[in-house]
């Protein structure tokens, strides 16, 4: 299989939940470095790119051996859909004559992923599949524990359960994680979001699927890394 795989890490400078999140030192190494190093470990990956609007992130990316794609400021707001940044990166590479077959995103927020997780995702993209995402078993069920609220605080079950009286009997649900995304470049250029196609998921155990959104996730990642030593 000589398909060309390019790995991408999309990292904005700003982050509301955890300021400077992408470059915070996790056990002495900037968070984004974990994703760059993983991309370089995976044998099928031909090149590694970091798309960012931020100078600090650019210099760290270069230091750890990634190529840098300048992300336009208008694609780096809190509200900017990441899918648009994906389109920008692919178009930028096309414009400089870099063609490739498989797009692999390894977000910086998932430092505990394993090489085997990434390989499993790459292998899962077959001719019937447009998108591969990663999931982990959810700790809450939308049939029992998740509610919506109106302005006065009145609450309703999000998904009323069709005759399940116990949580154990309800269908197992999964949380999407940021361990990896695998797609074809043309799909990204032609569509609006990942669920516009046939999506397959790969299950990753919780301890490898920590998704760093806030300081609690960050501390959890530190604890898990500490214990691995």
């Amino acid at each position: 299989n000589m398909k060309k795989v390019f790995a991408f890490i999309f990292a904005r400078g700003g982050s509301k939940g955890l300021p400077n999140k992408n470059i915070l030192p996790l056990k002495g190494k900037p968070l984004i470095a974990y994703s760059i190093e993983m991309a370089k470990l995976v044998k099928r990956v031909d090149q590694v790119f970091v798309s960012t609007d931020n100078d600090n992130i650019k210099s760290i990316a270069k230091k750890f051996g990634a190529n840098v794609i300048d992300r336009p400021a208008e694609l780096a707001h809190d509200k900017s859909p990441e899918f648009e940044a994906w389109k920008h990166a692919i178009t930028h590479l096309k414009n400089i004559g870099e063609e490739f077959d498989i797009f692999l995103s390894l977000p910086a927020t998932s430092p505990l992923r394993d090489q085997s997780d990434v390989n499993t995702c790459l292998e899962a993209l077959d001719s019937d599949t447009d998108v591969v995402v990663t999931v982990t078993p959810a700790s809450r069920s939308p049939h029992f524990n998740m509610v919506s609220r109106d302005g006065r605080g009145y609450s309703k079950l999000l998904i009323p359960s069709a005759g399940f009286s116990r949580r154990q009997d309800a269908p197992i649900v999964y949380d999407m994680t940021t361990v990896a995304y695998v797609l074809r470049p043309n799909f990204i250029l032609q569509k609006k979001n990942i669920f516009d196609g046939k999506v397959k998921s790969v299950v990753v155990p919780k301890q490898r699927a920590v998704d760093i959104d806030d300081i609690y996730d960050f501390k959890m990642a530190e604890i898990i890394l500490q214990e691995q030593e």
Side-chain angles (χ1 to χ4, degrees):
N1 180 358
M2 292 312 292
K3 288 207 160 106
K4 226 185 208 182
V5 178
F6 282 6
F8 296 85
I9 298 139
F10 294 85
R12 299 185 305 122
S15 167
K16 278 210 173 91
L18 192 56
N20 299 319
K21 169 169 81 178
N22 290 314
I23 52 177
L24 280 183
L26 176 61
K27 299 221 64 188
K29 200 160 58 177
L31 184 58
I32 194 170
Y34 288 84
S35 290
I36 297 171
E37 288 180 341
M38 177 56 64
K40 294 177 91 83
L41 272 179
V42 174
K43 302 230 181 340
R44 284 186 61 189
V45 169
D46 295 282
Q47 288 199 61
V48 185
F49 299 90
V50 170
S51 160
T52 185
D53 59 319
N54 178 276
D55 288 339
N56 282 342
I57 296 176
K58 283 175 198 176
S59 61
I60 288 169
K62 286 176 181 150
K63 182 182 158 193
F64 284 91
N67 303 299
V68 168
I69 295 174
D70 289 318
R71 177 154 156 191
E74 68 270 15
L75 294 181
H77 301 304
D78 274 336
K79 300 270 187 290
S80 316
E82 175 126 317
F83 209 74
E84 292 305 313
W86 290 8
K87 284 186 203 268
H88 169 267
I90 294 165
T91 307
H92 164 77
L93 291 175
K94 273 196 147 147
N95 290 343
I96 59 171
E98 289 279 10
E99 297 280 343
F100 63 104
D101 305 295
I102 294 175
F103 171 100
L104 165 67
S105 169
L106 297 174
T109 47
S110 206
L112 304 181
R113 66 171 73 81
D114 192 87
Q115 220 175 309
S116 64
D117 299 322
V118 183
N119 286 325
T120 304
C121 291
L122 287 168
E123 282 155 23
L125 188 75
D126 54 31
S127 54
D128 297 326
T129 308
D130 296 308
V131 182
V132 177
V133 299
T134 48
V135 298
T136 199
S139 49
R140 289 200 279 283
S141 165
H143 298 284
F144 289 92
N145 310 92
M146 298 178 100
V147 299
S148 59
R149 297 176 77 233
D150 70 12
R152 293 177 302 165
Y154 289 109
S155 304
K156 282 196 172 81
L157 261 185
L158 213 55
I159 304 177
S161 74
F164 314 115
S165 54
R166 302 183 319 153
R167 195 196 129 152
Q168 298 89 305
D169 302 329
I172 299 174
V173 288
Y174 296 85
D175 287 327
M176 270 183 72
T177 76
T178 57
V179 171
Y181 299 86
V182 183
L183 309 89
R184 291 179 192 84
N186 282 344
F187 177 88
I188 296 169
L189 294 176
Q190 289 159 12
K191 305 290 180 178
K192 295 258 190 297
N193 70 66
I194 53 178
F195 285 98
D196 281 348
K198 211 166 185 190
V199 180
K200 192 191 269 189
S201 65
V202 166
V203 181
V204 176
K206 205 169 186 163
Q207 68 273 18
R208 298 207 303 269
V210 170
D211 184 3
I212 295 182
D213 206 33
D214 57 30
I215 191 66
Y216 304 105
D217 306 322
F218 195 85
K219 288 189 182 304
M220 179 65 71
E222 281 184 322
I223 291 165
I224 293 171
L225 281 172
Q226 197 77 49
E227 286 184 347
Q228 281 173 1
E229 284 179 13

